[in-house]
Amino acid sequence: MRLPINIEKLLGGRAVEGDRIEYKTGWNPDAIYRSVCAFANDFDETGGGYIVVGVKEVNGRPVRPVIGIDPNQIEPIEKDMVGFNNLMQPYYQPRLYIEEADGKTILVIKVSAGERRPYKVPDQITAKQKTYNYYIRYNSSSIVPKGEYERELINLANRTPFDDRGNDQITLKDISPLLLHDYLVKVKSSLANDSLTENMESVLEQMELLEPTPEGYNIKNVAAMMFAECPDRFFKQSQIDIVVFPEGREKNPNNMIEVEPIRGNVPTMIEKTLSYLSTNVIKKQILKPKDREESDKFYNYPYQALEETVVNSLYHRDWTIREPVEITIEPDKISILNFSGPNHTIPMEAIREGKSLRSRRYRNRRLGEFLKELDLTEGRATGIPTVQEELEANGSPRATIETDEERTYFLIDIPCHPYFAKKEIEIDTNGVKEDAESGVKGGVKGGVKELSDIQEIIVKEMLFDPSITTSEMAQKTGIKFRTLQRHISQLQAMGVVVRKDGRKDGYWEVVKNK
């Protein structure tokens, strides 16, 4: 059985938060099974965790090269785990993967959130006299919950988030082999080597996307959210609607333009929405002060702020509510509305102040795992702080957040930079474009589309080394892999760069260095 995510990304902490990983120098079943129990209880609903055996840690970080374990230990460990799993109450079976790192063999125990929680385990699972206790994760430790924490844990019984539930309406034919394979390649999973036309069921089972039933299994909702070409068949109104009010919603609500609804699986909706905003809405201004050489550069809307907000609108939405995500574009702001609202564990004061909305309960924990592996979200309530930081760095006002006491909706307003804010937006059939004051329309100046700073860096790297890969470029420039992918796709669409001779042995050709 192969690990669904890349082992290097796991060890590097790029796919899973640090407090969801434990490193063990050797096989210590007493400590390991207390952590298995804690991860299975998934008290904070973050999706369980990983226990990596054969790796020393210092201050929560793995020490490289890894120590590894003796391969001769693997079979006895597997046999021991069969008995230890039966000692958990109720029965629970984590998944064991044998991996290699730094030329050594290591074990990865993947513990998903249990469907029959809460779980108990003996404090010393190898002892003859066994004392059972619940365990939960507290920061990076596994502890016995007391008082309110224990009561809250017990109340989690049989409460499985919607995205992690099986759906008897979803069939294997609804899962796109192309979308699934593309995801596995992007996260560098060894499962990408399997034939999805022949082994789709096996791959989904290893990815824990199947829910066992007496009749066989049901495919989980998150599989359709991520890998179905038409998930709106199962989740009505799972789309993003974009509406533009050139004069503002309040000033003239009848003057509006509706963009074709954006549909598809979650990554596709994110990509298409951000592509629309990047092409039709986001604009850059460079001012040259007289008193210094450096120019001031700013945007009407910083891309990262919009990206975080769009991703979070799909990550945290209630997929059982038949309402789309709505994006409204006005002269002075962009508003993004999704249903339902923030968890009740988040104080209303924090919402009004637009601070970090740290929740003890994540509505779609599995969807969040997939988006994090694609580097589309950081998780851990970092979205709103990122939005505010990007706006501040751009010289823009802070974003404001609104919800009601019942938390039925979540509305975030991202203000336009004061320099760009105008009384009216001009519209054409291609979308939003700036008025004649700046001479820039739809990101096009003088009839030629200007390159962004990131695109200019990409072109320079390709000129210097035509065979450079996106991963190598990410390491060299420090720009996120997914950001590079997006801008390279735009450069290809613009005809600036062309990929020659395929993915493996190909190279880049810069057609027009702008």
Side-chain angles (χ1 to χ4, degrees):
M1 189 174 292
R2 285 171 288 182
L3 193 64
I5 64 175
N6 180 264
I7 185 62
E8 287 300 325
K9 290 184 69 176
L10 180 65
L11 291 174
R14 298 192 300 275
V16 179
E17 296 89 349
D19 55 359
R20 292 182 56 218
I21 306 176
E22 270 201 7
Y23 300 102
K24 302 293 184 183
T25 304
W27 174 245
N28 180 357
D30 292 329
I32 286 173
Y33 265 83
R34 290 193 290 270
S35 294
V36 168
C37 181
F39 283 132
N41 279 327
D42 195 26
F43 186 67
D44 287 333
E45 292 190 349
T46 55
Y50 296 80
I51 303 167
V52 185
V53 184
V55 180
K56 184 180 179 181
E57 63 92 11
V58 175
N59 297 325
R61 302 290 300 172
V63 177
R64 307 294 294 269
V66 303
I67 296 174
I69 66 168
D70 183 352
N72 294 322
Q73 283 187 283
I74 295 175
E75 186 174 347
I77 288 174
E78 291 176 323
K79 290 181 179 179
D80 286 345
M81 288 184 67
V82 172
F84 297 149
N85 296 340
N86 282 293
L87 292 175
M88 289 191 64
Q89 297 178 356
Y91 173 81
Y92 180 87
Q93 181 179 345
R95 293 176 178 267
L96 179 66
Y97 299 90
I98 303 168
E99 296 288 328
E100 284 193 7
D102 304 329
K104 301 289 183 65
T105 299
I106 61 174
L107 297 181
V108 179
I109 302 172
K110 186 178 188 299
V111 187
S112 299
E115 297 176 358
R116 301 168 64 193
R117 59 184 177 175
Y119 294 91
K120 285 184 176 181
V121 73
D123 294 334
Q124 303 291 328
I125 204 162
T126 58
K128 292 184 179 180
Q129 299 296 325
K130 295 178 172 55
T131 301
Y132 278 80
N133 268 305
Y134 298 116
Y135 280 88
I136 63 171
R137 295 293 288 179
Y138 183 79
N139 294 329
S140 58
S141 301
S142 299
I143 66 168
V144 176
K146 301 292 185 182
E148 180 183 348
Y149 286 115
E150 183 177 15
R151 289 190 294 273
E152 190 172 349
L153 174 63
I154 294 172
N155 288 335
L156 291 177
N158 299 320
R159 193 177 81 187
T160 303
F162 177 77
D163 64 334
D164 209 21
R165 297 177 196 168
N167 188 329
D168 60 8
Q169 301 299 310
I170 305 171
T171 68
L172 288 177
K173 293 182 180 179
D174 296 313
I175 305 302
S176 166
L178 292 177
L179 291 175
L180 180 55
H181 180 263
D182 183 57
Y183 166 81
L184 293 171
V185 169
K186 286 179 179 178
V187 302
K188 299 181 180 179
S189 170
S190 58
L191 291 174
N193 299 322
D194 286 12
S195 170
L196 295 179
T197 55
E198 298 176 0
N199 303 313
M200 174 71 79
E201 181 180 333
S202 173
V203 171
L204 293 178
E205 195 273 334
Q206 293 185 68
M207 296 176 70
E208 299 184 79
L209 292 175
L210 303 182
E211 179 184 72
T213 67
E215 296 77 22
Y217 62 83
N218 287 331
I219 298 176
K220 294 184 177 182
N221 285 317
V222 70
M225 294 175 188
M226 287 294 300
F227 309 121
E229 292 183 348
C230 301
D232 51 329
R233 288 180 51 201
F234 315 106
F235 322 113
K236 301 303 180 184
Q237 294 296 305
S238 60
Q239 64 189 53
I240 295 179
D241 291 349
I242 301 178
V243 183
V244 183
F245 291 91
E247 301 173 68
R249 186 200 295 265
E250 293 185 3
K251 182 178 180 181
N252 190 350
N254 296 319
N255 182 12
M256 57 180 282
I257 181 171
E258 294 181 321
V259 178
E260 184 72 21
I262 296 173
R263 300 186 177 94
N265 67 325
V266 171
T268 296
M269 285 194 285
I270 292 172
E271 180 182 356
K272 288 183 176 180
T273 302
L274 293 174
S275 177
Y276 177 87
L277 295 174
S278 179
T279 302
N280 298 304
V281 179
I282 297 177
K283 301 174 181 68
K284 178 174 69 174
Q285 180 64 42
I286 300 177
L287 297 179
K288 178 68 172 159
K290 295 181 179 180
D291 57 344
R292 53 188 170 87
E293 293 184 2
E294 297 84 1
S295 298
D296 292 329
K297 178 179 66 177
F298 51 89
Y299 298 82
N300 57 345
Y301 300 100
Y303 177 86
Q304 186 69 22
L306 294 180
E307 181 183 44
E308 289 287 342
T309 311
V310 169
V311 172
N312 283 338
S313 70
L314 293 171
Y315 174 14
H316 297 299
R317 68 162 288 172
D318 187 338
W319 289 77
T320 66
I321 295 178
R322 298 188 175 191
E323 294 287 348
V325 172
E326 298 178 11
I327 300 179
T328 304
I329 302 171
E330 299 183 68
D332 61 339
K333 65 183 176 182
I334 293 178
S335 303
I336 300 181
L337 171 69
N338 65 279
F339 302 88
S340 57
N343 191 282
H344 281 82
T345 61
I346 301 173
M348 185 63 80
E349 181 182 356
I351 296 171
R352 293 194 184 101
E353 294 180 1
K355 294 182 177 180
S356 175
L357 306 187
R358 183 172 294 277
S359 174
R360 291 260 310 283
R361 298 285 174 263
Y362 286 82
R363 183 172 287 122
N364 302 300
R365 63 189 181 194
R366 290 298 305 280
L367 179 59
E369 285 184 40
F370 284 111
L371 294 178
K372 182 168 176 58
E373 289 173 13
L374 289 173
D375 289 330
L376 286 172
T377 182
E378 295 297 328
R380 292 304 187 190
T382 58
I384 297 302
T386 297
V387 171
Q388 304 291 25
E389 289 168 7
E390 291 292 327
L391 288 170
E392 182 180 359
N394 190 58
S396 302
R398 287 174 62 84
T400 58
I401 299 170
E402 178 185 321
T403 188
D404 55 4
E405 291 296 337
E406 291 74 29
R407 311 293 176 93
T408 60
Y409 69 92
F410 183 93
L411 174 65
I412 181 168
D413 290 334
I414 301 180
C416 182
H417 189 285
Y419 179 88
F420 289 91
K422 297 176 176 63
K423 295 180 180 179
E424 185 173 341
I425 306 173
E426 291 185 2
I427 305 296
D428 67 0
T429 55
N430 293 320
V432 183
K433 61 181 183 179
E434 195 173 339
D435 66 11
E437 282 185 24
S438 66
V440 180
K441 296 189 176 183
V444 178
K445 185 172 184 179
V448 179
K449 189 170 181 66
E450 292 184 327
L451 301 187
S452 68
D453 291 349
I454 292 178
Q455 289 169 346
E456 290 174 355
I457 292 172
I458 292 171
V459 170
K460 289 179 182 179
E461 292 297 333
M462 290 179 176
L463 285 170
F464 181 76
D465 181 7
S467 63
I468 191 169
T469 66
T470 309
S471 297
E472 291 170 342
M473 198 181 300
Q475 293 178 352
K476 186 175 180 181
T477 63
I479 301 171
K480 288 185 177 181
F481 180 85
R482 59 188 171 87
T483 302
L484 289 172
Q485 281 187 318
R486 175 174 55 81
H487 282 285
I488 290 173
S489 296
Q490 291 175 357
L491 287 170
Q492 289 177 292
M494 292 158 57
V496 177
V497 302
V498 177
R499 184 68 177 176
K500 298 287 188 177
D501 297 338
R503 179 180 293 179
K504 290 185 178 180
D505 302 318
Y507 61 95
W508 293 103
E509 180 179 291
V510 178
V511 179
K512 192 184 298 180
N513 184 16
K514 299 183 181 180

